[in-house]
Amino acid sequence: MTHLSVADVQGPWIEPDFDSSLIQRCRKNWFVPVTEISNYVLATFIRQRIALSLVVPEARRRISAGFTDDTELYDEELSVAVSEVADA
């Protein structure tokens, strides 16, 4: 599973009719293995409900290991994203 990307679960990137920082962030990381994306991007994919079967286990692994990479917008952003999807 360490080499899988969001594209492996969701399929190829489909360019939307508009652009935003969210679109740019997702596009840039779509084909990157989830083990190599930042906590911030991982939280973004979780909040957007993208490839949850892949990104949530990776997020839980990082949380359990206490892994931080100083990319999150606020402390515990990744944990909050995971808890919000678990509550849904």
Side-chain angles (χ1 to χ4, degrees), residues 19-39:
D19 200 21
S20 69
S21 61
L22 172 62
I23 296 294
Q24 292 169 8
R25 187 167 49 255
C26 291
R27 180 190 312 119
K28 178 180 177 185
N29 291 280
W30 199 257
F31 295 97
V32 178
V34 293
T35 56
E36 296 177 21
I37 61 176
S38 69
N39 283 1

Side-chain angles (χ1 to χ4, degrees), residues 50-69:
I50 297 172
L52 292 178
S53 64
L54 180 64
V55 297
V56 169
E58 175 61 18
R60 287 186 176 140
R61 185 190 68 75
R62 292 181 188 192
I63 292 164
S64 144
F67 175 79
T68 59
D69 61 4

